[in-house]
Amino acid sequence: GNYDAAQRGYERALKLRRQRFEPSHQKVLASLMSLGVLDIHRERYDAARERLEGVLAIMEPTLGAEHPMVGTVLVNLSTALQGRGRHA
């Protein structure tokens, strides 16, 4: 895929969402999560882990541990950790 174009799009969306919404808003967190998933696809596992841990640190207390989006972040974070282990 065209990862550079995808990153530019995600970063643009994040910038717009940050201008309109609070940092803990689901749309801001979804943009950050998308960038974390892109980091995984690019095999940038440390960057993905850092970004996704940041999302989780905001999302879990805000939405609650049982929220489906928290589960999605945990799956993506696990994928980043698994990838990092393969490439360590």
Side-chain angles (χ1 to χ4, degrees), residues 10-25 27-29 31:
Y10 288 140
E11 287 174 349
R12 183 173 178 216
L14 177 61
K15 181 180 177 182
L16 293 171
R17 287 174 170 181
R18 281 182 165 159
Q19 290 172 354
R20 180 172 175 128
F21 302 110
E22 295 295 319
S24 62
H25 193 279
K27 290 183 187 267
V28 173
L29 297 172
S31 289

Side-chain angles (χ1 to χ4, degrees), residues 68-82:
M69 281 185 68
V70 170
T72 301
V73 175
L74 289 170
V75 168
N76 291 326
L77 181 56
S78 297
T79 300
L81 293 171
Q82 181 182 21

